Amino acid sequence: MNAKILTFSSRGDTTLLEYDPATADMDEVNKLISEYEARTGAQPFDMATGERIEKVTREQNEVLMVHPVAGG
Amino acid sequence: MWLIVFVGSQRLLFGEIILPQRPQHNRPVWDFLDYFENNSPASVRNQAQSYLLRIVALTNATEVGDGYLLNVGTNTFHVRDRYVRRIRGVTNAKSRYQGTCFFVPNQGMPGAEQIATALLMLKNDPTLFDKWAVRNGELFRADGQIFN
């Protein structure tokens, strides 16, 4: 089963990345997540636990990039 | 637009990462209809609601009349559409506020997903509440850092 990195969007969700966790280069996956984070401020959460994660591992098969929130 | 570049560049970098794909048909009319069915306001609302229910379960929040109660340590928050109120907890010396509006500047994100975002963030870092209340309009990442 493929793993997914997704984010909430006006379409409900948008899949940013899909990969086979058994064979993917996880350093590359994390590098892309870091680039997305630097650009948008969104940070990864494991959708199995609801916890923020520093790095995505092969064990996570659904990761939600959570965008920054402002008070107002 | 950049998302396309982001995902697309991935294919060039290494083969394991693949583009999210929809089933290929030789019937463009049905694809056209599928597109509108999958992106209709009702479909988006249902999908957003489904994510919210998953996150309510993950954070052990409880649905109340017009929102959700979230317990985090000594704090209890009432989170509803674009507004969160602290109904129990330590008042931060810097913040005398007990309620604050919040927003996710992601254009068009459904209300249910905005609530889900706030629940996830507060569950992981309840001090974000005071930051949202005091630093009006500034964007905070989930780790509590300001994002410019």
Side-chain angles (χ1 to χ4, degrees):
Chain A
M1 191 176 87
N2 281 342
K4 275 185 179 181
I5 311 289
L6 52 93
T7 190
F8 290 153
S9 71
S10 58
R11 291 185 294 157
D13 67 28
T14 296
T15 299
L16 302 173
L17 207 56
E18 197 170 337
Y19 55 92
D20 179 351
T23 58
D25 179 341
M26 295 310 291
D27 287 339
E28 282 294 333
V29 170
N30 280 292
K31 186 178 157 210
L32 285 161
I33 286 174
S34 296
E35 286 170 8
Y36 184 77
E37 181 176 336
R39 195 163 186 151
T40 64
Q43 295 188 306
F45 280 70
D46 184 351
M47 280 296 276
T49 62
E51 287 175 5
R52 188 169 70 80
I53 47 180
E54 295 292 337
K55 274 197 153 195
V56 177
T57 65
R58 296 187 197 283
E59 281 66 50
Q60 278 117 19
N61 58 24
E62 193 179 20
V63 171
L64 177 71
M65 297 300 290
V66 174
H67 281 255
V69 170
Chain B
M1 179 61 190
W2 78 269
L3 285 179
I4 294 166
V5 174
F6 177 74
V7 175
S9 66
Q10 210 27 235
R11 300 193 82 184
L12 300 173
L13 288 171
F14 56 109
E16 292 86 351
I17 292 178
I18 55 174
L19 275 169
Q21 291 181 338
R22 293 178 184 278
Q24 298 296 311
H25 303 294
N26 291 323
R27 296 184 299 174
V29 172
W30 294 114
D31 284 350
F32 179 79
L33 293 175
D34 282 350
Y35 175 83
F36 280 100
E37 189 179 310
N38 293 334
N39 292 281
S40 70
S43 167
V44 169
R45 248 195 325 273
N46 288 342
Q47 194 175 13
Q49 191 62 28
S50 148
Y51 275 120
L52 175 58
L53 290 176
R54 283 179 66 187
I55 286 167
V56 164
L58 284 174
T59 57
N60 291 317
T62 313
E63 187 171 3
V64 290
D66 61 342
Y68 298 87
L69 287 182
L70 176 72
N71 291 305
V72 194
T74 56
N75 296 285
T76 302
F77 299 105
H78 178 233
V79 183
R80 60 183 168 89
D81 193 16
R82 281 166 278 180
Y83 189 81
V84 56
R85 193 162 60 92
R86 178 165 48 200
I87 56 178
R88 182 175 65 90
V90 180
T91 306
N92 186 311
K94 295 176 192 166
S95 168
R96 58 194 164 76
Y97 300 100
Q98 288 305 306
T100 179
C101 293
F102 70 90
F103 65 95
V104 186
N106 184 339
Q107 283 190 344
M109 182 192 287
E113 290 181 350
Q114 298 216 17
I115 294 171
T117 298
L119 288 173
L120 271 179
M121 288 182 103
L122 287 171
K123 186 70 176 183
N124 279 268
D125 182 4
T127 67
L128 280 165
F129 172 84
D130 292 300
K131 292 173 180 167
W132 294 340
V134 175
R135 309 286 293 267
N136 196 328
E138 290 201 73
L139 277 172
F140 285 93
R141 302 187 317 185
D143 63 3
Q145 301 299 308
I146 289 179
F147 177 69
N148 294 311

